[in-house]
Structures are given as structure tokens and as C-alpha cells.
Amino acid sequence: MEQITINTEYIKLDQLLKWANIADSGAFAKLIIQNGDVRVNGEVVLNRGKKIYKGDIVEVEGVGSFKVV
């Protein structure tokens, strides 16, 4: 599991996907999320504005798992 470091209290899910180089654009991040390919702490998330906090686990189908630190 890869770790992603954030320097703020939280980061929005679509921004996290770009920050971690999982998505190369906001439009692609939105598409991945709307397709149901992203889980946060084991639950599918369809809201690209979901706040992700340190300690959360983000899983992206076909890419891998990431822990936010």
C-alpha cells in the first residue's frame, strides 16, 4: 500500500487522485469516481468532493490502495 502525504486537514477526493498521479486531469478523476471505481475505507464513493482525511484508505480499481498520511 502506497502512502500519500497531505499537508492540510483534508483533501477532496478528486484533488487527491490528481495529487497522487492516479488521474492526469480533473475530468478523468471525475470519470473514475462516477464509474464507481473508487472506494474510501471500503465503501464506494460517487461524490468527487468527498473530504479525505489522514488515516483514510483510498482504493482505485485496477490501480491499487493508498493510505493518506
Side-chain angles (χ1 to χ4, degrees):
M1 179 179 308
E2 189 175 332
Q3 292 190 346
I4 300 171
T5 302
I6 61 171
N7 299 318
T8 56
E9 179 184 355
Y10 66 86
I11 187 169
K12 292 182 180 177
L13 181 57
D14 60 343
Q15 294 172 338
L16 177 75
L17 295 179
K18 291 189 296 182
W19 176 255
N21 293 319
I22 296 165
D24 56 0
S25 69
F28 187 57
K30 180 180 177 181
L31 182 65
I32 294 170
I33 295 165
Q34 288 181 338
N35 282 343
D37 293 334
V38 180
R39 292 178 178 265
V40 177
N41 299 325
E43 295 184 23
V44 173
V45 175
L46 301 175
N47 176 9
R48 65 188 177 125
K50 166 121 176 106
K51 293 177 181 176
I52 306 300
Y53 295 92
K54 293 177 182 177
D56 285 345
I57 305 293
V58 177
E59 301 169 72
V60 181
E61 186 73 32
V63 177
S65 298
F66 306 86
K67 182 174 184 174
V68 180
V69 295

Short mmCIF file of all heavy atoms in Angstrom, two decimals:
data_model
loop_
_atom_site.label_atom_id
_atom_site.label_comp_id
_atom_site.label_asym_id
_atom_site.label_seq_id
_atom_site.Cartn_x
_atom_site.Cartn_y
_atom_site.Cartn_z
N MET A 1 0.84 -1.18 0.00
CA MET A 1 0.00 0.00 0.00
C MET A 1 0.89 1.25 0.00
O MET A 1 1.77 1.39 0.83
CB MET A 1 -0.90 -0.01 1.24
CG MET A 1 -1.80 1.19 1.32
SD MET A 1 -2.91 1.21 2.76
CE MET A 1 -3.70 -0.36 2.66
N GLU A 2 0.63 2.11 -0.94
CA GLU A 2 1.40 3.35 -1.07
C GLU A 2 0.84 4.40 -0.12
O GLU A 2 -0.36 4.42 0.16
CB GLU A 2 1.29 3.85 -2.51
CG GLU A 2 2.20 4.99 -2.83
CD GLU A 2 2.14 5.38 -4.31
OE1 GLU A 2 1.86 4.50 -5.14
OE2 GLU A 2 2.37 6.56 -4.60
N GLN A 3 1.70 5.27 0.38
CA GLN A 3 1.26 6.35 1.25
C GLN A 3 1.25 7.67 0.48
O GLN A 3 2.15 7.93 -0.32
CB GLN A 3 2.17 6.48 2.47
CG GLN A 3 2.06 5.31 3.41
CD GLN A 3 2.79 5.55 4.72
OE1 GLN A 3 3.58 6.47 4.84
NE2 GLN A 3 2.51 4.72 5.70
N ILE A 4 0.23 8.47 0.74
CA ILE A 4 0.11 9.78 0.13
C ILE A 4 0.10 10.80 1.26
O ILE A 4 -0.76 10.74 2.14
CB ILE A 4 -1.19 9.91 -0.70
CG1 ILE A 4 -1.20 8.86 -1.81
CG2 ILE A 4 -1.31 11.31 -1.26
CD1 ILE A 4 -2.51 8.76 -2.54
N THR A 5 1.04 11.71 1.25
CA THR A 5 1.14 12.71 2.30
C THR A 5 0.40 13.98 1.90
O THR A 5 0.59 14.50 0.79
CB THR A 5 2.63 13.05 2.56
OG1 THR A 5 3.31 11.85 2.91
CG2 THR A 5 2.76 14.06 3.70
N ILE A 6 -0.46 14.45 2.81
CA ILE A 6 -1.12 15.74 2.60
C ILE A 6 -0.68 16.68 3.71
O ILE A 6 -0.36 16.24 4.81
CB ILE A 6 -2.66 15.61 2.54
CG1 ILE A 6 -3.24 15.05 3.84
CG2 ILE A 6 -3.08 14.76 1.35
CD1 ILE A 6 -4.76 15.10 3.91
N ASN A 7 -0.66 17.96 3.41
CA ASN A 7 -0.21 18.96 4.37
C ASN A 7 -1.36 19.83 4.87
O ASN A 7 -1.12 20.89 5.45
CB ASN A 7 0.87 19.84 3.74
CG ASN A 7 2.08 19.03 3.34
OD1 ASN A 7 2.51 18.17 4.08
ND2 ASN A 7 2.61 19.30 2.17
N THR A 8 -2.58 19.38 4.64
CA THR A 8 -3.76 20.11 5.07
C THR A 8 -4.62 19.18 5.93
O THR A 8 -4.33 17.98 6.04
CB THR A 8 -4.58 20.58 3.86
OG1 THR A 8 -4.89 19.44 3.04
CG2 THR A 8 -3.80 21.60 3.03
N GLU A 9 -5.69 19.72 6.50
CA GLU A 9 -6.58 18.90 7.35
C GLU A 9 -7.24 17.80 6.52
O GLU A 9 -7.39 16.67 6.97
CB GLU A 9 -7.64 19.80 7.98
CG GLU A 9 -8.62 19.04 8.86
CD GLU A 9 -9.74 19.92 9.41
OE1 GLU A 9 -9.73 21.15 9.19
OE2 GLU A 9 -10.64 19.36 10.05
N TYR A 10 -7.63 18.14 5.30
CA TYR A 10 -8.27 17.17 4.41
C TYR A 10 -7.99 17.58 2.97
O TYR A 10 -7.49 18.67 2.70
CB TYR A 10 -9.79 17.09 4.66
CG TYR A 10 -10.53 18.36 4.32
CD1 TYR A 10 -10.97 18.61 3.03
CD2 TYR A 10 -10.79 19.32 5.29
CE1 TYR A 10 -11.63 19.78 2.71
CE2 TYR A 10 -11.45 20.50 4.98
CZ TYR A 10 -11.87 20.71 3.69
OH TYR A 10 -12.53 21.88 3.37
N ILE A 11 -8.33 16.67 2.04
CA ILE A 11 -8.23 16.96 0.62
C ILE A 11 -9.45 16.33 -0.04
O ILE A 11 -9.92 15.27 0.40
CB ILE A 11 -6.91 16.40 0.02
CG1 ILE A 11 -6.71 16.84 -1.42
CG2 ILE A 11 -6.84 14.89 0.16
CD1 ILE A 11 -5.32 16.54 -1.98
N LYS A 12 -9.99 16.98 -1.05
CA LYS A 12 -11.15 16.42 -1.74
C LYS A 12 -10.70 15.25 -2.60
O LYS A 12 -9.58 15.22 -3.11
CB LYS A 12 -11.84 17.49 -2.57
CG LYS A 12 -12.50 18.55 -1.70
CD LYS A 12 -13.23 19.57 -2.53
CE LYS A 12 -13.87 20.60 -1.60
NZ LYS A 12 -14.55 21.65 -2.38
N LEU A 13 -11.59 14.29 -2.76
CA LEU A 13 -11.24 13.05 -3.44
C LEU A 13 -10.69 13.28 -4.85
O LEU A 13 -9.67 12.70 -5.21
CB LEU A 13 -12.46 12.13 -3.50
CG LEU A 13 -12.26 10.77 -4.15
CD1 LEU A 13 -11.14 9.99 -3.47
CD2 LEU A 13 -13.55 9.97 -4.13
N ASP A 14 -11.33 14.13 -5.63
CA ASP A 14 -10.83 14.34 -6.99
C ASP A 14 -9.45 14.98 -6.99
O ASP A 14 -8.59 14.64 -7.80
CB ASP A 14 -11.82 15.15 -7.84
CG ASP A 14 -12.13 16.54 -7.32
OD1 ASP A 14 -11.86 16.81 -6.12
OD2 ASP A 14 -12.67 17.35 -8.09
N GLN A 15 -9.21 15.88 -6.03
CA GLN A 15 -7.89 16.50 -5.92
C GLN A 15 -6.84 15.48 -5.50
O GLN A 15 -5.70 15.53 -5.96
CB GLN A 15 -7.93 17.65 -4.92
CG GLN A 15 -8.80 18.80 -5.38
CD GLN A 15 -8.98 19.86 -4.29
OE1 GLN A 15 -8.83 19.58 -3.12
NE2 GLN A 15 -9.32 21.07 -4.71
N LEU A 16 -7.23 14.56 -4.63
CA LEU A 16 -6.30 13.52 -4.19
C LEU A 16 -5.87 12.63 -5.36
O LEU A 16 -4.69 12.29 -5.49
CB LEU A 16 -6.94 12.65 -3.10
CG LEU A 16 -6.07 11.49 -2.62
CD1 LEU A 16 -4.96 12.00 -1.71
CD2 LEU A 16 -6.90 10.45 -1.89
N LEU A 17 -6.81 12.29 -6.22
CA LEU A 17 -6.49 11.44 -7.37
C LEU A 17 -5.50 12.14 -8.30
O LEU A 17 -4.60 11.50 -8.85
CB LEU A 17 -7.76 11.06 -8.13
CG LEU A 17 -8.75 10.19 -7.37
CD1 LEU A 17 -9.99 9.91 -8.22
CD2 LEU A 17 -8.13 8.91 -6.89
N LYS A 18 -5.62 13.45 -8.43
CA LYS A 18 -4.65 14.20 -9.24
C LYS A 18 -3.31 14.32 -8.51
O LYS A 18 -2.27 14.14 -9.11
CB LYS A 18 -5.19 15.59 -9.59
CG LYS A 18 -6.36 15.55 -10.57
CD LYS A 18 -6.75 16.91 -11.07
CE LYS A 18 -7.26 17.79 -9.96
NZ LYS A 18 -7.70 19.12 -10.41
N TRP A 19 -3.36 14.62 -7.21
CA TRP A 19 -2.15 14.77 -6.38
C TRP A 19 -1.30 13.51 -6.41
O TRP A 19 -0.08 13.55 -6.47
CB TRP A 19 -2.57 15.12 -4.96
CG TRP A 19 -1.48 15.23 -3.95
CD1 TRP A 19 -1.19 14.32 -2.98
CD2 TRP A 19 -0.53 16.28 -3.79
NE1 TRP A 19 -0.13 14.75 -2.23
CE2 TRP A 19 0.30 15.96 -2.70
CE3 TRP A 19 -0.31 17.48 -4.46
CZ2 TRP A 19 1.33 16.78 -2.28
CZ3 TRP A 19 0.72 18.29 -4.03
CH2 TRP A 19 1.53 17.94 -2.95
N ALA A 20 -1.96 12.34 -6.40
CA ALA A 20 -1.27 11.05 -6.37
C ALA A 20 -0.91 10.55 -7.77
O ALA A 20 -0.44 9.42 -7.93
CB ALA A 20 -2.13 10.03 -5.65
N ASN A 21 -1.17 11.36 -8.79
CA ASN A 21 -0.90 10.99 -10.19
C ASN A 21 -1.68 9.77 -10.65
O ASN A 21 -1.23 9.02 -11.51
CB ASN A 21 0.60 10.80 -10.43
CG ASN A 21 1.35 12.10 -10.31
OD1 ASN A 21 0.89 13.14 -10.77
ND2 ASN A 21 2.49 12.05 -9.66
N ILE A 22 -2.86 9.56 -10.06
CA ILE A 22 -3.75 8.48 -10.49
C ILE A 22 -4.56 8.97 -11.69
O ILE A 22 -4.80 8.24 -12.63
CB ILE A 22 -4.68 8.05 -9.34
CG1 ILE A 22 -3.83 7.47 -8.20
CG2 ILE A 22 -5.72 7.05 -9.82
CD1 ILE A 22 -4.58 7.34 -6.90
N ALA A 23 -4.95 10.24 -11.62
CA ALA A 23 -5.68 10.87 -12.73
C ALA A 23 -4.85 12.06 -13.21
O ALA A 23 -4.32 12.82 -12.41
CB ALA A 23 -7.05 11.34 -12.25
N ASP A 24 -4.76 12.20 -14.53
CA ASP A 24 -3.96 13.30 -15.07
C ASP A 24 -4.75 14.59 -15.26
O ASP A 24 -4.19 15.62 -15.60
CB ASP A 24 -3.30 12.89 -16.38
CG ASP A 24 -4.27 12.41 -17.44
OD1 ASP A 24 -5.49 12.40 -17.17
OD2 ASP A 24 -3.83 12.04 -18.53
N SER A 25 -6.07 14.53 -15.01
CA SER A 25 -6.90 15.73 -15.12
C SER A 25 -8.10 15.60 -14.20
O SER A 25 -8.46 14.50 -13.77
CB SER A 25 -7.38 15.92 -16.56
OG SER A 25 -8.31 14.92 -16.90
N GLY A 26 -8.74 16.72 -13.95
CA GLY A 26 -9.95 16.71 -13.13
C GLY A 26 -11.07 15.95 -13.81
O GLY A 26 -11.85 15.27 -13.14
N ALA A 27 -11.15 16.05 -15.12
CA ALA A 27 -12.19 15.35 -15.85
C ALA A 27 -12.02 13.83 -15.74
O ALA A 27 -13.00 13.09 -15.56
CB ALA A 27 -12.18 15.76 -17.31
N PHE A 28 -10.78 13.36 -15.81
CA PHE A 28 -10.52 11.93 -15.68
C PHE A 28 -10.80 11.46 -14.25
O PHE A 28 -11.37 10.39 -14.05
CB PHE A 28 -9.09 11.60 -16.10
CG PHE A 28 -8.82 10.12 -16.16
CD1 PHE A 28 -9.57 9.28 -16.96
CD2 PHE A 28 -7.79 9.57 -15.40
CE1 PHE A 28 -9.32 7.92 -17.01
CE2 PHE A 28 -7.54 8.21 -15.45
CZ PHE A 28 -8.30 7.38 -16.25
N ALA A 29 -10.45 12.27 -13.26
CA ALA A 29 -10.73 11.94 -11.86
C ALA A 29 -12.24 11.81 -11.67
O ALA A 29 -12.72 10.86 -11.03
CB ALA A 29 -10.16 13.00 -10.94
N LYS A 30 -13.00 12.74 -12.23
CA LYS A 30 -14.46 12.71 -12.11
C LYS A 30 -15.02 11.44 -12.74
O LYS A 30 -15.90 10.79 -12.17
CB LYS A 30 -15.03 13.95 -12.81
CG LYS A 30 -16.54 14.05 -12.77
CD LYS A 30 -17.02 15.31 -13.47
CE LYS A 30 -18.52 15.38 -13.52
NZ LYS A 30 -19.01 16.58 -14.21
N LEU A 31 -14.49 11.05 -13.89
CA LEU A 31 -14.94 9.84 -14.59
C LEU A 31 -14.69 8.59 -13.76
O LEU A 31 -15.57 7.73 -13.62
CB LEU A 31 -14.25 9.75 -15.95
CG LEU A 31 -14.65 8.57 -16.83
CD1 LEU A 31 -16.11 8.70 -17.24
CD2 LEU A 31 -13.76 8.51 -18.05
N ILE A 32 -13.48 8.48 -13.19
CA ILE A 32 -13.14 7.32 -12.37
C ILE A 32 -14.10 7.21 -11.19
O ILE A 32 -14.60 6.13 -10.87
CB ILE A 32 -11.69 7.44 -11.84
CG1 ILE A 32 -10.68 7.36 -12.97
CG2 ILE A 32 -11.39 6.34 -10.82
CD1 ILE A 32 -9.26 7.72 -12.54
N ILE A 33 -14.38 8.35 -10.55
CA ILE A 33 -15.26 8.36 -9.38
C ILE A 33 -16.69 8.00 -9.78
O ILE A 33 -17.32 7.15 -9.14
CB ILE A 33 -15.20 9.74 -8.68
CG1 ILE A 33 -13.79 9.98 -8.12
CG2 ILE A 33 -16.25 9.84 -7.59
CD1 ILE A 33 -13.50 11.42 -7.74
N GLN A 34 -17.20 8.62 -10.84
CA GLN A 34 -18.58 8.36 -11.27
C GLN A 34 -18.79 6.93 -11.75
O GLN A 34 -19.90 6.42 -11.69
CB GLN A 34 -19.00 9.36 -12.34
CG GLN A 34 -19.21 10.75 -11.79
CD GLN A 34 -19.66 11.74 -12.85
OE1 GLN A 34 -19.45 11.53 -14.05
NE2 GLN A 34 -20.26 12.82 -12.41
N ASN A 35 -17.72 6.28 -12.22
CA ASN A 35 -17.83 4.89 -12.66
C ASN A 35 -17.88 3.92 -11.48
O ASN A 35 -18.06 2.72 -11.68
CB ASN A 35 -16.65 4.52 -13.56
CG ASN A 35 -16.82 5.03 -14.96
OD1 ASN A 35 -17.90 5.39 -15.39
ND2 ASN A 35 -15.72 5.08 -15.70
N GLY A 36 -17.69 4.42 -10.26
CA GLY A 36 -17.74 3.56 -9.09
C GLY A 36 -16.44 2.80 -8.87
O GLY A 36 -16.43 1.76 -8.19
N ASP A 37 -15.34 3.31 -9.42
CA ASP A 37 -14.05 2.62 -9.33
C ASP A 37 -13.23 3.02 -8.12
O ASP A 37 -12.10 2.58 -7.96
CB ASP A 37 -13.22 2.89 -10.59
CG ASP A 37 -13.83 2.27 -11.83
OD1 ASP A 37 -14.56 1.27 -11.70
OD2 ASP A 37 -13.57 2.78 -12.94
N VAL A 38 -13.80 3.88 -7.25
CA VAL A 38 -13.05 4.36 -6.10
C VAL A 38 -13.78 4.00 -4.80
O VAL A 38 -14.99 4.23 -4.68
CB VAL A 38 -12.85 5.90 -6.17
CG1 VAL A 38 -12.06 6.39 -4.97
CG2 VAL A 38 -12.14 6.28 -7.46
N ARG A 39 -13.01 3.44 -3.86
CA ARG A 39 -13.55 3.13 -2.54
C ARG A 39 -12.75 3.92 -1.52
O ARG A 39 -11.54 4.03 -1.64
CB ARG A 39 -13.42 1.64 -2.21
CG ARG A 39 -14.29 0.75 -3.05
CD ARG A 39 -14.06 -0.73 -2.68
NE ARG A 39 -14.92 -1.59 -3.43
CZ ARG A 39 -16.10 -2.02 -2.98
NH1 ARG A 39 -16.52 -1.70 -1.79
NH2 ARG A 39 -16.85 -2.81 -3.73
N VAL A 40 -13.45 4.43 -0.52
CA VAL A 40 -12.80 5.10 0.61
C VAL A 40 -13.19 4.32 1.86
O VAL A 40 -14.38 4.18 2.15
CB VAL A 40 -13.23 6.58 0.72
CG1 VAL A 40 -12.60 7.23 1.95
CG2 VAL A 40 -12.85 7.34 -0.54
N ASN A 41 -12.19 3.80 2.55
CA ASN A 41 -12.42 2.98 3.74
C ASN A 41 -13.40 1.85 3.46
O ASN A 41 -14.27 1.54 4.28
CB ASN A 41 -12.88 3.86 4.91
CG ASN A 41 -11.85 4.90 5.28
OD1 ASN A 41 -10.65 4.66 5.19
ND2 ASN A 41 -12.29 6.07 5.67
N GLY A 42 -13.29 1.25 2.27
CA GLY A 42 -14.09 0.08 1.92
C GLY A 42 -15.44 0.37 1.29
O GLY A 42 -16.14 -0.55 0.88
N GLU A 43 -15.83 1.63 1.20
CA GLU A 43 -17.14 1.98 0.63
C GLU A 43 -16.97 2.72 -0.69
O GLU A 43 -16.15 3.63 -0.79
CB GLU A 43 -17.93 2.86 1.60
CG GLU A 43 -18.29 2.16 2.90
CD GLU A 43 -19.15 3.04 3.80
OE1 GLU A 43 -19.81 3.95 3.30
OE2 GLU A 43 -19.13 2.79 5.01
N VAL A 44 -17.77 2.33 -1.69
CA VAL A 44 -17.74 3.01 -2.98
C VAL A 44 -18.20 4.46 -2.78
O VAL A 44 -19.19 4.72 -2.10
CB VAL A 44 -18.66 2.31 -4.01
CG1 VAL A 44 -18.76 3.12 -5.30
CG2 VAL A 44 -18.15 0.91 -4.30
N VAL A 45 -17.45 5.38 -3.35
CA VAL A 45 -17.77 6.81 -3.24
C VAL A 45 -18.02 7.36 -4.64
O VAL A 45 -17.21 7.17 -5.54
CB VAL A 45 -16.61 7.58 -2.57
CG1 VAL A 45 -16.89 9.07 -2.57
CG2 VAL A 45 -16.40 7.10 -1.15
N LEU A 46 -19.15 8.02 -4.82
CA LEU A 46 -19.50 8.61 -6.11
C LEU A 46 -19.43 10.13 -6.08
O LEU A 46 -19.68 10.79 -7.08
CB LEU A 46 -20.91 8.16 -6.52
CG LEU A 46 -21.10 6.65 -6.65
CD1 LEU A 46 -22.56 6.33 -6.94
CD2 LEU A 46 -20.19 6.07 -7.72
N ASN A 47 -19.08 10.69 -4.93
CA ASN A 47 -19.01 12.14 -4.73
C ASN A 47 -17.57 12.61 -4.85
O ASN A 47 -16.76 12.33 -3.97
CB ASN A 47 -19.59 12.49 -3.36
CG ASN A 47 -19.47 13.95 -3.01
OD1 ASN A 47 -19.11 14.77 -3.85
ND2 ASN A 47 -19.78 14.28 -1.77
N ARG A 48 -17.24 13.34 -5.91
CA ARG A 48 -15.85 13.75 -6.12
C ARG A 48 -15.38 14.77 -5.10
O ARG A 48 -14.20 14.98 -4.92
CB ARG A 48 -15.64 14.27 -7.53
CG ARG A 48 -16.38 15.53 -7.85
CD ARG A 48 -16.26 15.85 -9.33
NE ARG A 48 -17.04 17.03 -9.65
CZ ARG A 48 -16.55 18.10 -10.24
NH1 ARG A 48 -15.28 18.14 -10.57
NH2 ARG A 48 -17.32 19.12 -10.50
N GLY A 49 -16.31 15.42 -4.39
CA GLY A 49 -15.97 16.40 -3.38
C GLY A 49 -15.83 15.81 -1.98
O GLY A 49 -15.63 16.55 -1.02
N LYS A 50 -15.90 14.49 -1.88
CA LYS A 50 -15.77 13.83 -0.56
C LYS A 50 -14.45 14.24 0.09
O LYS A 50 -13.41 14.20 -0.54
CB LYS A 50 -15.82 12.32 -0.73
CG LYS A 50 -15.37 11.55 0.50
CD LYS A 50 -16.44 10.66 1.00
CE LYS A 50 -15.96 9.81 2.18
NZ LYS A 50 -16.51 10.27 3.43
N LYS A 51 -14.53 14.62 1.35
CA LYS A 51 -13.32 15.03 2.08
C LYS A 51 -12.57 13.79 2.55
O LYS A 51 -13.13 12.90 3.18
CB LYS A 51 -13.70 15.90 3.26
CG LYS A 51 -14.27 17.24 2.85
CD LYS A 51 -14.69 18.05 4.06
CE LYS A 51 -15.28 19.39 3.61
NZ LYS A 51 -15.79 20.16 4.76
N ILE A 52 -11.29 13.75 2.23
CA ILE A 52 -10.42 12.64 2.61
C ILE A 52 -9.46 13.16 3.68
O ILE A 52 -8.79 14.17 3.48
CB ILE A 52 -9.62 12.13 1.39
CG1 ILE A 52 -10.56 11.79 0.22
CG2 ILE A 52 -8.76 10.95 1.78
CD1 ILE A 52 -11.58 10.71 0.52
N TYR A 53 -9.42 12.45 4.80
CA TYR A 53 -8.60 12.86 5.94
C TYR A 53 -7.42 11.91 6.12
O TYR A 53 -7.45 10.78 5.61
CB TYR A 53 -9.45 12.88 7.22
CG TYR A 53 -10.54 13.91 7.19
CD1 TYR A 53 -11.82 13.58 6.72
CD2 TYR A 53 -10.32 15.20 7.63
CE1 TYR A 53 -12.83 14.52 6.69
CE2 TYR A 53 -11.33 16.16 7.60
CZ TYR A 53 -12.59 15.81 7.13
OH TYR A 53 -13.58 16.75 7.10
N LYS A 54 -6.44 12.34 6.89
CA LYS A 54 -5.31 11.48 7.23
C LYS A 54 -5.84 10.23 7.90
O LYS A 54 -6.74 10.29 8.73
CB LYS A 54 -4.33 12.22 8.14
CG LYS A 54 -3.64 13.37 7.44
CD LYS A 54 -2.73 14.14 8.36
CE LYS A 54 -2.11 15.32 7.59
NZ LYS A 54 -1.27 16.16 8.41
N GLY A 55 -5.30 9.09 7.51
CA GLY A 55 -5.75 7.80 8.04
C GLY A 55 -6.73 7.08 7.13
O GLY A 55 -6.95 5.89 7.29
N ASP A 56 -7.32 7.81 6.18
CA ASP A 56 -8.26 7.17 5.25
C ASP A 56 -7.51 6.29 4.26
O ASP A 56 -6.37 6.58 3.89
CB ASP A 56 -9.06 8.22 4.47
CG ASP A 56 -10.15 8.88 5.31
OD1 ASP A 56 -10.48 8.36 6.38
OD2 ASP A 56 -10.66 9.93 4.87
N ILE A 57 -8.18 5.22 3.84
CA ILE A 57 -7.64 4.32 2.82
C ILE A 57 -8.45 4.51 1.55
O ILE A 57 -9.68 4.37 1.57
CB ILE A 57 -7.73 2.84 3.27
CG1 ILE A 57 -7.06 2.62 4.62
CG2 ILE A 57 -7.17 1.91 2.18
CD1 ILE A 57 -5.58 2.79 4.64
N VAL A 58 -7.77 4.83 0.46
CA VAL A 58 -8.43 5.03 -0.83
C VAL A 58 -7.97 3.91 -1.76
O VAL A 58 -6.78 3.70 -1.94
CB VAL A 58 -8.06 6.41 -1.43
CG1 VAL A 58 -8.70 6.59 -2.80
CG2 VAL A 58 -8.49 7.53 -0.48
N GLU A 59 -8.95 3.19 -2.31
CA GLU A 59 -8.66 2.10 -3.25
C GLU A 59 -9.20 2.48 -4.62
O GLU A 59 -10.35 2.90 -4.72
CB GLU A 59 -9.31 0.81 -2.79
CG GLU A 59 -8.89 0.34 -1.41
CD GLU A 59 -9.75 -0.79 -0.92
OE1 GLU A 59 -9.63 -1.91 -1.44
OE2 GLU A 59 -10.58 -0.54 -0.02
N VAL A 60 -8.38 2.32 -5.64
CA VAL A 60 -8.80 2.62 -7.00
C VAL A 60 -8.70 1.33 -7.81
O VAL A 60 -7.63 0.72 -7.89
CB VAL A 60 -7.92 3.73 -7.63
CG1 VAL A 60 -8.38 4.04 -9.04
CG2 VAL A 60 -7.94 4.98 -6.76
N GLU A 61 -9.81 0.94 -8.39
CA GLU A 61 -9.89 -0.29 -9.17
C GLU A 61 -8.83 -0.31 -10.27
O GLU A 61 -8.69 0.64 -11.04
CB GLU A 61 -11.28 -0.41 -9.81
CG GLU A 61 -11.53 -1.70 -10.52
CD GLU A 61 -11.73 -2.88 -9.58
OE1 GLU A 61 -12.25 -2.68 -8.48
OE2 GLU A 61 -11.34 -3.99 -9.97
N GLY A 62 -8.04 -1.37 -10.31
CA GLY A 62 -7.02 -1.53 -11.32
C GLY A 62 -5.74 -0.74 -11.08
O GLY A 62 -4.81 -0.83 -11.86
N VAL A 63 -5.70 0.03 -9.98
CA VAL A 63 -4.52 0.85 -9.70
C VAL A 63 -3.86 0.41 -8.39
O VAL A 63 -2.68 0.16 -8.33
CB VAL A 63 -4.87 2.36 -9.63
CG1 VAL A 63 -3.64 3.18 -9.27
CG2 VAL A 63 -5.46 2.82 -10.96
N GLY A 64 -4.65 0.35 -7.31
CA GLY A 64 -4.10 -0.06 -6.03
C GLY A 64 -4.72 0.67 -4.86
O GLY A 64 -5.72 1.37 -5.00
N SER A 65 -4.10 0.50 -3.69
CA SER A 65 -4.59 1.09 -2.44
C SER A 65 -3.60 2.14 -1.95
O SER A 65 -2.40 1.99 -2.09
CB SER A 65 -4.73 0.02 -1.38
OG SER A 65 -5.67 -0.96 -1.77
N PHE A 66 -4.15 3.17 -1.34
CA PHE A 66 -3.36 4.30 -0.87
C PHE A 66 -3.82 4.70 0.51
O PHE A 66 -5.02 4.81 0.75
CB PHE A 66 -3.50 5.48 -1.83
CG PHE A 66 -3.18 5.14 -3.26
CD1 PHE A 66 -4.15 4.62 -4.10
CD2 PHE A 66 -1.89 5.30 -3.74
CE1 PHE A 66 -3.87 4.28 -5.41
CE2 PHE A 66 -1.60 4.95 -5.05
CZ PHE A 66 -2.57 4.45 -5.88
N LYS A 67 -2.87 4.93 1.42
CA LYS A 67 -3.18 5.43 2.75
C LYS A 67 -2.77 6.88 2.81
O LYS A 67 -1.64 7.24 2.46
CB LYS A 67 -2.46 4.63 3.82
CG LYS A 67 -2.80 5.12 5.23
CD LYS A 67 -2.21 4.24 6.30
CE LYS A 67 -2.67 4.73 7.67
NZ LYS A 67 -2.25 3.84 8.74
N VAL A 68 -3.70 7.72 3.28
CA VAL A 68 -3.43 9.15 3.38
C VAL A 68 -2.78 9.42 4.74
O VAL A 68 -3.30 9.01 5.77
CB VAL A 68 -4.73 9.96 3.22
CG1 VAL A 68 -4.45 11.45 3.33
CG2 VAL A 68 -5.37 9.65 1.87
N VAL A 69 -1.63 10.07 4.71
CA VAL A 69 -0.90 10.37 5.94
C VAL A 69 -0.58 11.85 6.01
O VAL A 69 -0.61 12.56 5.03
CB VAL A 69 0.40 9.56 6.08
CG1 VAL A 69 0.09 8.08 6.22
CG2 VAL A 69 1.32 9.78 4.91
#
